[in-house]
Amino acid sequence: MAEEKQREQVNEDRKAVFKIPNTALLAIAFLVVCVTPVAFGDVPYLQWLYLFPIALAVFVIRTRTTATAKGLEVRTMFGRKDLPWTSLKGLAITDKAKVQAVLKDDTKVALPAVRTRHLPVISLVSAGRMADPSGLTDDVTEAPEKRDDSGE
C-alpha cells in the first residue's frame, strides 16, 4: 500500500520545462550594445530603440511549455493557458518539427519550444496518456524496482 502511494507521488512530482535557452539573453545584451551608439547619436529621441531588446528579453524569459502529471501549461509573452491531459485529443507535428496540442474540439494550440525530440519526455511525464511515437519509452517502467545489493 505504501509502495503504491510512493509511486503515485513520484508520478505527480515529474515535471518537464521546455523553454528558450537563457544563453539567448547574451545575444540580446549584444543587441543592446549595438543599439546604444545609435540611440544616443546625433538624431534625438532614438532611445525608443531600446524597446526591441527589452521585448526580446521578455519573450525569452516568459515563453515556455511546462508538462506535469496534471497536463500542459503553455506560457506565451502575453498569456497563459492550462491544458489538462483529459482535454487533449493528441499532439500534432508541423512541417518544421514543432509540436501543437490538439484539443477535443479539434482546435490546435502551439506549444512553444517543444520539438519532436521532446515527445518521449512528454510521454514519460504524462504517465503514458500521450503516446511516444518514437518508441523510445516502451521499455521504461513507471518506477524502477529496488535492488537488494546486500550480497545475500
Side-chain angles (χ1 to χ4, degrees), residues 60-119:
V60 167
I61 292 169
R62 274 206 45 91
T63 303
R64 69 183 61 200
T65 301
T66 305
T68 63
K70 296 177 182 176
L72 295 172
E73 176 192 342
V74 179
R75 248 177 45 182
T76 60
M77 192 164 166
F78 298 112
R80 176 178 177 246
K81 188 178 247 187
D82 288 324
L83 305 171
W85 295 119
T86 56
S87 70
L88 295 178
K89 184 190 267 186
L91 299 174
I93 301 170
T94 65
D95 294 336
K96 296 183 179 183
K98 294 182 180 183
V99 179
Q100 297 175 336
V102 181
L103 303 177
K104 292 199 175 184
D105 61 354
D106 288 333
T107 58
K108 293 183 179 180
V109 177
L111 301 178
V114 177
R115 301 293 181 259
T116 55
R117 67 179 178 268
H118 299 132
L119 291 177

Side-chain angles (χ1 to χ4, degrees), residues 10-53:
V10 168
N11 286 340
E12 289 179 12
D13 291 343
R14 288 183 181 173
K15 177 179 175 181
V17 179
F18 306 100
K19 64 180 195 162
I20 300 170
N22 287 335
T23 54
L25 294 172
L26 291 173
I28 295 169
F30 181 70
L31 181 62
V32 168
V33 170
C34 293
V35 165
T36 300
V38 176
F40 293 105
D42 294 333
V43 180
Y45 306 111
L46 284 180
Q47 288 83 17
W48 62 269
L49 289 172
Y50 283 115
L51 292 177
F52 292 114

